[in-house]
Amino acid sequence: MTLDGSAGDDNGDADVFDTGDTYTVEDALTSVGFGKFQKFLLFYAGFGLISEAMEMMLLSFVGPSVQIFWNLSTRQESLITSVVFVGELIGAYFWGYVSDNYGRRKGFLFTSTATAGAGLLSSFSPNYLSLLLFRFFVGFGLGGGHVLSSWFLEFVPPSNRGIWMVTFSIFWSVGSISAASLAWAVLPSLGWRWLLLFSSLPSFVLLMFFRIVPESPRFLSIKGRTAEALLVLEKVARSNQASLPFGTLVVDHQRMELEEIRENPVSSEDDHLIVGNVKSETVLVGEEDNKHTNKIVESGGFSAVVTLLSPDLAFSTILIWIVFFGNAFSYYGLVLLTSELHMDLTGCSPTAAHKSPPQNSNLYKSVLLTSFAELPGLLLAALLVDRIGRKMTMASMFFSSFIFLMPLLSQQSWLFTIILLFGARACISGSFTVIYIYTPEIYPTSVRSTGVGVASSVGRLGGILCPLVAIGLLHSCHKTISIIVFEFVMFTAGVAAILFPLETKGRQLKDAPVT
């Protein structure tokens, strides 16, 4: 019995040697193309990205408001931001483990529930400690944001994966702009509680439509649930008004075994059993095939981390961690620099940057203006990522951000400062987008979400440390040292991007490590 329900004939084993008889999930996605089905998934996953961006960007506004409301110290105010990053640090790895073992859908179901529930409850916090607790769980939920990006990526054909993943990242910019706009509209009149409440709403959209979104066919395939993967791919084909390739769906390692069998046909009884396993889910499987399949299916936990640091992947993994750290440190640092340089809270001697300091109400305008920088950054990334490749796109954007920030080593006018921060944030936004495209393309399916999760956790360390530079050094009247630290991090991350051993532009996603 074959996967499509038809009975195989006596010569069925011989048919499998025809290369047209088998296809992988990647082949299927190439055949059906990017159509209505993926567009629905794009908007669904996009709401998750909007939610994450809004919850992160409102940190620039909630802290000062809560500090006044409860008469908090500067240290207590900073904890409101830090506790979110600590939650993300833990959640990024945890949700990667969950999604690699139990499915992408279950992963983002739990992350959306945690983010929506904790975000809503934080708006009703009766005291400072309860607010910290709820914001920690918001961060814990947000730590799984990478699960949605991995899930969406696994539905996108390889030929235009770069452009669509950049398009997906636009939703982050929408969330960032929405957060600044919402703060401008809500904080002066309704206060910080309503801002937290409204920011939790996008996560509830994910929960409302959760039942109709499918599991990743690549995840199902690698877990041996080939029939379920085929059903999902058939839905994609029908929605896109396209056809799946002719033949039987297999995973990458099965195709490699078939290649070996074609070169050495009918060599042993075990070979026949392996072929039978590819052609049908109802036949017995050879012992060696079971061992191979089990190795592929195992994922998550300590074994996944070992895989990430295996000889094939260790160098790429370390460089990815450096780039993630550099991106998070620079991105969130630039957001904080916008408000800190704008407000001149350092108490230091007057500078040219603040000869005519704007009113506090204009802080919303400054943050909103620099948030719009993400749009040209994403456009530039979209133009470059599938032309010059992932590596050079990331490196060029890090170095460009480095150049934009350099004039701030000396005193500049407020307007010129905002222009420089606009350019630096545009470039960092673009590089941040590309690393989220590159990382899932490097790792095999069995550890893909865990790999992105661990890298995201390392990035959260950058988010935790950057306030010490962007706020701590500025408050201590060490602006020049602060800018030098940012410059060093950007330059190091740019070099790391150049050193990546593999360019993934146009490559198919793999179920086994890419070498």
Side-chain angles (χ1 to χ4, degrees), residues 269-309:
E269 181 179 357
D270 278 349
D271 287 340
H272 285 292
L273 292 174
I274 292 173
V275 175
N277 181 49
V278 176
K279 289 292 289 182
S280 171
E281 291 189 323
T282 61
V283 299
L284 296 175
V285 184
E287 180 180 356
E288 292 302 315
D289 190 47
N290 266 327
K291 291 179 181 178
H292 195 161
T293 300
N294 288 337
K295 289 179 182 178
I296 295 293
V297 172
E298 289 178 359
S299 58
F302 181 73
S303 63
V305 177
V306 172
T307 301
L308 299 179
L309 296 174

Side-chain angles (χ1 to χ4, degrees), residues 23-64:
Y23 63 92
T24 64
V25 171
E26 200 82 328
D27 297 330
L29 293 175
T30 300
S31 179
V32 301
F34 193 101
K36 292 182 179 178
F37 196 92
Q38 284 93 343
K39 290 177 182 177
F40 166 73
L41 302 186
L42 172 66
F43 281 96
Y44 182 85
F47 269 98
L49 208 56
I50 289 174
S51 173
E52 183 178 357
M54 292 184 68
E55 293 287 2
M56 293 306 301
M57 297 306 299
L58 63 81
L59 296 175
S60 300
F61 307 105
V62 170

Side-chain angles (χ1 to χ4, degrees), residues 119-346:
L120 179 63
L121 290 173
S122 64
S123 66
F124 296 97
S125 301
N127 52 53
Y128 171 71
L129 290 180
S130 63
L131 177 64
L132 288 183
L133 179 64
F134 290 137
R135 297 312 293 174
F136 168 82
F137 281 107
V138 167
F140 184 66
L142 293 177
H146 62 86
V147 176
L148 271 170
S149 63
S150 294
W151 171 74
F152 175 66
L153 179 77
E154 292 177 350
F155 281 93
V156 180
S159 60
N160 51 9
R161 184 178 294 131
I163 184 65
W164 282 112
M165 290 305 293
V166 172
T167 303
F168 170 66
S169 299
I170 291 176
F171 287 92
W172 175 278
S173 299
V174 172
S176 179
I177 294 169
S178 298
S181 303
L182 191 63
W184 193 357
V186 172
L187 269 180
S189 57
L190 299 178
W192 61 270
R193 293 187 184 276
W194 282 96
L195 178 61
L196 291 178
L197 187 149
F198 288 137
S199 298
S200 69
L201 296 181
S203 293
F204 284 102
V205 174
L206 297 181
L207 298 176
M208 289 172 56
F209 293 94
F210 174 77
R211 293 180 62 87
I212 63 176
V213 297
E215 180 57 89
S216 162
R218 182 175 292 277
F219 170 83
L220 294 171
S221 178
I222 201 66
K223 289 297 184 181
R225 296 157 62 181
T226 313
E228 296 176 62
L230 185 59
L231 288 175
V232 173
L233 291 172
E234 288 173 345
K235 290 180 181 178
V236 178
R238 286 196 300 271
S239 178
N240 292 357
Q241 297 182 340
S243 300
L244 293 174
F246 174 78
T248 304
L249 178 65
V250 297
V251 295
D252 283 349
H253 80 275
Q254 289 174 326
R255 171 166 288 188
M256 288 187 292
E257 288 169 347
L258 289 175
E259 297 281 348
E260 295 175 0
I261 294 170
R262 291 187 185 98
E263 295 175 2
N264 302 285
V266 196
S267 59
S268 68
E269 181 179 357
D270 278 349
D271 287 340
H272 285 292
L273 292 174
I274 292 173
V275 175
N277 181 49
V278 176
K279 289 292 289 182
S280 171
E281 291 189 323
T282 61
V283 299
L284 296 175
V285 184
E287 180 180 356
E288 292 302 315
D289 190 47
N290 266 327
K291 291 179 181 178
H292 195 161
T293 300
N294 288 337
K295 289 179 182 178
I296 295 293
V297 172
E298 289 178 359
S299 58
F302 181 73
S303 63
V305 177
V306 172
T307 301
L308 299 179
L309 296 174
S310 64
D312 289 337
L313 293 173
F315 187 56
S316 293
T317 293
I318 298 300
L319 293 175
I320 284 172
W321 290 352
I322 293 173
V323 172
F324 259 92
F325 180 92
N327 267 313
F329 187 95
S330 303
Y331 179 86
Y332 294 113
L334 288 171
V335 173
L336 292 172
L337 278 176
T338 302
S339 58
E340 291 300 314
L341 294 178
H342 177 100
M343 297 293 289
D344 191 22
L345 299 176
T346 64

Side-chain angles (χ1 to χ4, degrees), residues 86-97:
V86 172
E88 284 194 297
L89 180 68
I90 299 171
Y93 171 76
F94 179 79
W95 297 121
Y97 170 82

